[in-house]
Amino acid sequence: MRVAARPGADAFSRDNSFFYYVIGWYKYTSKLEIMTVFDVLNLYQTPFEWMLDSGIHIEDVSYVGLYKEYIRMKKEGCKTTYIVVCLAEKYRISERKVYTLLKRLSQNCEPLER
């Protein structure tokens, strides 16, 4: 997948904010530049390797909002079963998947060896 930077684009816009942040320095150039997937991986290789070594699944980024809602609803006093049903319906995933995500996102990261 290729992402084109728009000259003058806001680096922290709501849509595709990650990619606009990564390629934000392109907005100062006069021509249209393209960043490849390799460029992003090369730029953030160390944090990505740390995430993999710590047992973090990169696809879980999509569910950070789900976990934030779970915490909010739990603080409001909602039962876990009710929360899971609501989140499964909202995110259009199975209840089993919600339970799996909640378990995975609540675990501590594995410590890195130094």
Side-chain angles (χ1 to χ4, degrees):
M1 181 174 126
R2 296 180 149 219
V3 178
R6 295 175 292 150
D10 182 14
F12 296 102
S13 67
R14 189 170 187 136
D15 298 330
N16 298 322
S17 61
F18 172 75
F19 290 107
Y20 287 128
Y21 176 75
V22 171
I23 59 178
W25 62 274
Y26 280 121
K27 74 180 185 176
Y28 298 109
T29 63
S30 60
K31 63 180 182 175
L32 181 65
E33 298 287 336
I34 297 176
M35 184 174 237
T36 63
V37 172
F38 169 78
D39 294 333
V40 173
L41 291 174
N42 190 38
L43 184 62
Y44 288 102
Q45 181 178 1
T46 303
F48 288 160
E49 286 175 350
W50 175 83
M51 288 172 53
L52 289 172
D53 293 342
S54 297
I56 298 172
H57 297 217
I58 190 70
E59 64 270 10
D60 289 345
V61 170
S62 306
Y63 300 109
V64 169
L66 178 144
Y67 194 75
K68 286 180 180 179
E69 287 187 53
Y70 167 75
I71 292 171
R72 178 187 56 79
M73 292 174 80
K74 198 70 172 163
K75 284 181 181 177
E76 291 174 358
C78 298
K79 301 280 185 180
T80 303
T81 306
Y82 172 75
I83 297 170
V84 168
V85 170
C86 290
L87 294 175
E89 188 175 305
K90 180 176 181 178
Y91 286 87
R92 296 181 180 173
I93 56 177
S94 69
E95 292 176 21
R96 182 71 253 153
K97 176 76 172 178
V98 173
Y99 280 115
T100 302
L101 287 168
L102 294 177
K103 181 178 178 183
R104 194 162 58 216
L105 292 173
S106 64
Q107 291 176 342
N108 293 331
C109 290
E110 297 292 324
L112 295 174
E113 295 180 21
R114 295 186 193 254

